[in-house]
């Protein structure tokens, strides 16, 4: 065990950790030059196209240092704020972390939050300055930021470049010298923590785990403590670029197990594996539960594809355990699912993966967050409302509490004004302002989570020209003056577009949604009113004019009563059409509500 090192890589999005992981794989000879491709650990098309890591990947490297063979287990982590759940799992399975900071951009919001996660688990931190080959690199200033943040010696910061391979040998030396070897008892009862799972269509679910104590052997009868089910370990092994079977995986190592599990609910990430014959008493701690932040409905375009969509979502949940869903139905869209996501990017990724990997075309409703409602009948009982249509009758409503978050924005000092006005517009309250360096500021706000769901991240990037980085964490619920706003189309309520909004924003938002829908819904043979309503009160209205045929074209001259008769007949027809007519709403209309300011 003293020759094993388990470590993960943490960084802000786009600071070059996937490229640096590539160099580590090449230097240790884990991957041959022939098989080498950029971002070797990102195996989804989506990850390559967007240049972001979505899923954690574990891989084992062998490295000879001063005549001694070492085993290095690297767990790559995502950098975006929406995937901090994946990061927390990877951190729980390691003893050390490489903290990568871009030498041109400096410390960003996600770097700080991931660093705090690592420090909570007492990981050894190795700071690395990446992208040193760029002419715009600013090593002295960024080194000062790192020293101030983690209190290390400036000589501990390793200058490196993922592109040129500079500093890779120093990083490997630091991993071996600074990161402690795993602690554990090979003779003890088996304890292994599952930190990830993937679905293989031929072999079922493959669970990845880190063995804390004991040894897991091929053919053992194992028990998953959380679910209490027993399985045979058909195959165990370690993770190279492909799965590499072994007879046993010992304490301190990272490996995989295949036991023919076919259903998603039987493997819980964070669960403990032990032997059925001699189970351990206590499960392993160090893993936090997932908290979905944003809720939206996902519906199939064709109603008969509902079962197919359920199957696709279950398969997706195996590869992404932070996705939560339950069935729901809507008057406008039929049967579908209410899904919980970690954030807006997570929601986009899920929707795209459903379309690419499972050929499912889906409609996504307006995202919202969960609220607590208190009624006047029994004020002690709080009702959890995930969907605005579940809201109790306004006459019996006492008050509503909505989730608040603490938001950290790190930006250049020249953009403070625009960012403050954006956050105040979103009902944010400035709590703190700290200058990290002369021209970099950290702003702390408390604001409602619901305000972030609507186009906040995009606007933050545009007002700061892409410089601001953003991170948040929940701080609890607060009472707010919220009302439910409904959208009526041709007199029928569209439950998929209902939203809980703050009373002060209702008129403005209602008007904007009506104008946007007027642009997107195609004209029909009859007039369509689009209305925003609070209860029975209409607060905004737009009308889509009817396409009409010129019925009086054939009347030239003659009595006016002939024309009037034809027009009256047309009017009656339009009226009847409007009573029975159904309006098709394009998919863009549901998504456009999110980008009202474009």
């Amino acid at each position: 065990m003293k020759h094993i090192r388990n470590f993960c890589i943490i960084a802000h999005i786009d600071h070059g950790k996937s490229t640096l992981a590539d160099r580590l794989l090449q230097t240790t000879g884990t991957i041959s030059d022939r098989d080498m491709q950029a971002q070797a650990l990102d195996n989804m098309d989506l990850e390559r196209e967007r240049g972001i890591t979505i899923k954690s990947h574990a891989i084992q490297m062998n490295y000879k240092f001063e005549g001694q063979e070492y085993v290095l287990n690297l767990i790559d982590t995502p950098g975006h704020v929406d995937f901090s759940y994946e990061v927390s799992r990877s951190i729980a399975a390691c003893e050390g972390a490489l903290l990568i900071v871009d030498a041109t951009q400096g410390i960003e919001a996600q770097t700080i939050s991931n660093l705090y996660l690592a420090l909570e688990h007492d990981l050894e931190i190795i700071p690395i300055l990446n992208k040193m080959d760029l002419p715009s690199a600013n090593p002295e200033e960024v080194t000062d930021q790192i020293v101030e943040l983690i209190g290390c010696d400036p000589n501990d910061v390793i200058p490196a470049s993922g592109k040129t391979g500079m500093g890779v040998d120093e990083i490997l030396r630091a991993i071996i010298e600074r990161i402690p070897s795993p602690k554990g008892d090979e003779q003890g009862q088996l304890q292994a923590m599952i930190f990830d799972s993937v679905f293989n269509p031929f072999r079922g679910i493959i669970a990845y785990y880190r063995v804390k104590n004991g040894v897991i052997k091929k053919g053992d009868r194992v028990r998953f403590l959380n679910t209490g089910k027993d399985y045979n370990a058909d195959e165990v092994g370690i993770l190279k670029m492909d799965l590499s079977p072994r007879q046993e995986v010992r304490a301190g190592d990272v490996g995989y197990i295949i036991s023919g599990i076919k259903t998603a609910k039987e493997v819980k990430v964070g669960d403990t594996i032990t032997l059925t014959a001699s189970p351990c008493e206590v499960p392993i701690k160090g893993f936090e539960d997932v908290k979905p932040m944003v809720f939206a409905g996902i519906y199939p375009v064709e109603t008969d594809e509902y079962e197919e969509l359920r199957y696709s979502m279950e398969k997706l949940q195996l590869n992404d355990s932070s996705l939560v869903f339950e069935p729901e139905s809507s008057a406008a869209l039929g049967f579908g699912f209410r899904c919980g996501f970690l954030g807006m990017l997570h929601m986009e990724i899920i929707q795209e993966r459903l379309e690419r990997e499972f050929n499912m075309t889906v409609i996504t409703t307006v995202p919202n967050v969960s609220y607590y409602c208190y009624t006047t009948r029994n004020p002690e009982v709080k009702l959890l409302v995930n969907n605005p249509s579940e809201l109790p009758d306004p006459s019996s409503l006492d008050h509503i509490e909505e989730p608040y978050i603490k938001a950290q924005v790190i930006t250049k000092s020249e953009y403070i004004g625009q960012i403050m006005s954006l956050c105040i517009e979103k009902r944010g309250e400035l709590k703190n302002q700290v200058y990290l360096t002369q021209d970099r500021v950290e702003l702390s706000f408390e604001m409602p989570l619901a305000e972030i769901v609507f186009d906040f991240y995009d606007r933050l990037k545009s007002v700061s020209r892409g410089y601001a980085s953003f991170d948040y964490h929940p701080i609890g619920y607060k009472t707010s003056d919220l009302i439910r706003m409904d959208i009526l189309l041709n007199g029928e309520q569209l439950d998929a577009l209902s939203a809980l909004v703050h009373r002060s924003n209702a008129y403005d938002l209602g008007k904007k949604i009506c104008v946007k829908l007027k642009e997107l819904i195609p004209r029909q043979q009859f007039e369509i009113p689009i209305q925003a309503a609070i209860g029975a009160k209409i607060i905004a209205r737009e009308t889509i004019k009817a396409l009409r045929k010129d019925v009086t074209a054939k009347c030239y001259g003659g009595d006016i009563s002939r024309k009037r008769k034809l027009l009256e007949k047309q009017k009656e027809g339009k009226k009847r059409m409007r009573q029975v007519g159904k309006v098709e709403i394009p998919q863009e209309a549901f998504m456009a509500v999110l980008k009202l300011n474009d």
Side-chain angles (χ1 to χ4, degrees):
M1 268 173 66
K2 66 174 185 287
H3 298 132
I4 296 177
R5 300 287 182 272
N6 296 324
F7 67 99
C8 59
I9 299 185
I10 52 178
H12 189 79
I13 188 166
D14 209 20
H15 277 205
K17 67 185 166 3
S18 294
T19 318
L20 200 65
D22 290 353
R23 291 299 149 272
L24 292 174
L25 295 178
Q26 264 183 314
T27 310
T28 56
T30 309
I31 186 167
S32 65
D33 290 342
R34 194 184 70 173
D35 298 333
M36 189 63 206
Q37 51 175 350
Q39 290 132 356
L41 292 179
D42 295 348
N43 52 15
M44 254 187 269
D45 294 343
L46 252 173
E47 291 180 313
R48 294 171 174 286
E49 280 169 28
R50 290 178 174 234
I52 53 177
T53 305
I54 294 168
K55 185 118 182 69
S56 299
H57 288 280
I59 190 160
Q60 189 175 92
M61 305 180 283
N62 295 77
Y63 184 60
K64 201 164 192 171
F65 178 71
E66 295 179 353
Q68 177 63 54
E69 279 285 338
Y70 283 88
V71 172
L72 312 178
N73 288 313
L74 155 69
I75 302 177
D76 186 20
T77 62
H80 194 276
V81 55
D82 280 8
F83 303 113
S84 52
Y85 170 70
E86 291 261 341
V87 180
S88 76
R89 299 188 331 219
S90 305
I91 285 174
C94 295
E95 279 84 33
L98 304 183
L99 176 76
I100 295 183
V101 181
D102 187 331
T104 61
Q105 293 182 328
I107 300 245
E108 309 245 10
Q110 191 64 26
T111 323
I112 295 177
S113 72
N114 284 347
L115 176 70
Y116 288 156
L117 261 180
L119 290 174
E120 273 171 31
H121 286 84
D122 293 330
L123 298 199
E124 178 64 38
I125 308 290
I126 299 176
I128 295 167
L129 259 188
N130 199 16
K131 304 196 184 177
M132 286 292 285
D133 57 312
L134 294 179
S136 56
N138 192 349
E140 292 83 14
E141 191 181 313
V142 181
T143 304
D144 290 346
Q145 289 178 24
I146 296 173
V147 170
E148 203 172 306
L149 184 67
I150 57 176
C152 64
D153 190 272
N155 300 326
D156 290 347
V157 181
I158 303 171
S161 162
K163 193 186 268 181
T164 62
M166 162 191 174
V168 171
D169 292 327
E170 285 83 43
I171 293 172
L172 289 164
R173 171 189 285 270
I175 289 168
I176 289 165
E177 289 179 351
R178 295 195 215 167
I179 294 177
S181 57
K183 308 270 186 294
D185 178 12
E186 287 192 7
Q187 310 307 318
Q189 293 168 322
L190 174 65
Q191 267 187 320
M193 185 186 89
I194 300 176
F195 65 85
D196 206 353
S197 66
V198 293
F199 180 75
N200 182 310
F202 306 108
R203 313 195 66 178
I205 294 168
I206 304 171
Y208 297 162
Y209 54 82
R210 151 81 198 273
V211 186
K212 292 273 188 191
N213 295 312
V215 177
I216 186 167
K217 295 179 182 158
K218 185 178 177 177
D220 275 349
R221 186 87 176 142
V222 294
R223 174 172 295 166
F224 287 25
L225 279 183
N226 200 322
T227 55
K229 298 205 171 181
D230 295 353
Y231 307 99
N232 287 326
D234 299 336
E235 185 182 304
V236 296
I238 55 164
L239 303 149
K240 293 283 195 184
M241 277 312 279
D242 294 313
L243 303 178
S244 172
R246 293 281 190 274
Q247 284 306 308
E248 59 181 33
V249 180
R250 308 183 76 82
D253 225 335
V254 173
Y256 71 90
I257 179 169
I258 299 175
S259 45
I261 305 171
K262 291 283 188 286
T263 49
K265 294 185 175 62
E266 290 179 29
V267 177
K268 284 207 169 81
V269 171
D271 200 352
T272 303
I273 305 175
T274 186
L275 293 174
T276 310
S278 56
C280 60
E281 275 77 51
V282 284
I284 300 171
K285 289 191 178 67
F287 159 77
E288 53 179 73
D289 236 353
V290 55
K291 296 184 215 60
M293 290 291 198
V294 174
F295 295 87
I298 286 187
Y299 293 86
V301 174
E302 302 296 330
T303 42
D304 55 352
E305 288 179 356
Y306 174 71
E307 281 306 321
E308 210 175 312
L309 180 63
R310 177 199 292 275
Y311 174 78
S312 307
M313 301 271 274
E314 282 174 358
K315 291 284 171 283
L316 208 53
Q317 198 177 31
L318 291 177
N319 289 326
D320 182 356
S321 50
S322 46
L323 169 68
V324 188
F325 64 90
E326 56 183 43
E328 75 161 0
S329 62
S330 144
L333 300 168
F335 289 103
F337 295 97
R338 186 97 199 138
C339 304
F341 306 99
L342 297 177
M344 291 301 290
L345 178 75
H346 188 215
M347 180 176 131
E348 262 180 66
I349 296 288
I350 293 289
Q351 198 180 334
E352 230 172 287
R353 285 184 71 181
L354 279 171
E355 287 182 12
R356 286 184 186 207
E357 294 171 30
F358 302 99
N359 293 326
M360 295 294 311
T361 321
V362 292
I363 290 176
T364 315
T365 65
V366 178
N368 60 342
V369 296
S370 51
Y371 301 88
Y372 282 122
C373 297
Y374 294 82
T375 55
T376 45
R377 291 187 195 125
N378 37 2
E380 288 80 39
V381 181
K382 57 180 180 182
L383 306 166
L384 182 68
V385 175
N386 285 334
N387 193 342
S389 57
E390 298 167 6
L391 202 66
D393 183 45
S395 58
S396 66
L397 204 59
D398 187 43
H399 65 278
I400 302 174
E401 289 184 352
E402 65 174 334
Y404 265 70
I405 57 159
K406 182 165 188 202
Q408 282 171 300
V409 178
I410 294 183
T411 178
K412 288 199 163 182
S413 48
E414 61 206 77
Y415 304 118
I416 293 181
Q418 295 98 308
I419 288 173
M420 277 191 181
S421 56
L422 169 66
C423 290
I424 289 163
E425 181 195 325
K426 296 282 186 186
R427 296 193 283 136
E429 233 177 90
L430 181 67
K431 288 292 176 191
N432 201 358
Q433 180 176 337
V434 182
Y435 275 82
L436 302 170
T437 61
Q438 286 177 345
D439 67 337
R440 284 175 73 76
V441 187
E442 181 186 2
L443 302 170
S444 299
F445 288 93
E446 278 185 14
M447 58 201 297
L449 178 62
E451 295 289 343
I452 287 186
V453 170
F454 285 98
D455 70 5
F456 175 78
Y457 197 64
D458 298 349
R459 284 181 63 195
L460 177 71
K461 284 290 181 200
S462 53
V463 298
S464 67
R465 302 206 184 130
Y467 275 110
S469 62
F470 170 69
D471 183 47
Y472 65 88
H473 57 266
I475 53 170
Y477 284 75
K478 292 186 184 179
T479 305
S480 288
D481 185 12
L482 298 173
I483 45 178
R484 185 172 113 197
M485 185 177 72
D486 295 315
I487 301 294
L488 308 175
L489 194 62
N490 198 12
E492 281 182 32
Q493 187 185 325
L494 273 180
D495 55 354
L497 285 176
S498 294
L500 273 176
V501 294
H502 196 263
R503 197 180 292 274
S504 60
N505 294 349
Y507 291 89
D508 196 28
L509 192 66
K511 184 71 182 166
K512 279 183 181 172
I513 292 177
C514 289
V515 171
K516 199 79 174 174
L517 288 177
K518 184 182 176 183
E519 290 169 19
L520 290 164
I521 293 172
R523 287 172 74 182
Q524 310 283 337
Q525 290 284 338
F526 53 93
E527 195 176 83
I528 309 167
I530 304 168
Q531 297 160 312
I534 296 171
K537 185 180 174 189
I538 303 293
I539 58 167
R541 170 176 173 144
E542 290 289 325
T543 309
I544 300 174
K545 293 282 181 241
L547 286 170
R548 44 186 300 221
K549 183 178 163 192
D550 189 1
V551 286
T552 58
K554 60 183 182 220
C555 299
Y556 45 94
D559 192 8
I560 186 70
S561 60
R562 286 178 64 201
K563 287 186 182 177
R564 194 166 288 143
K565 184 178 166 190
L566 288 168
L567 288 168
E568 286 297 325
K569 192 176 174 187
Q570 186 187 34
K571 192 172 162 190
E572 284 301 314
K574 297 273 182 214
K575 200 168 167 188
R576 196 163 57 251
M577 213 187 268
R578 185 173 151 186
Q579 283 164 358
V580 297
K582 281 270 181 280
V583 184
E584 281 283 313
I585 304 166
Q587 159 72 8
E588 300 88 72
F590 292 105
M591 292 316 287
V593 177
L594 306 181
K595 300 192 172 77
L596 289 172
N597 286 30
D598 287 6

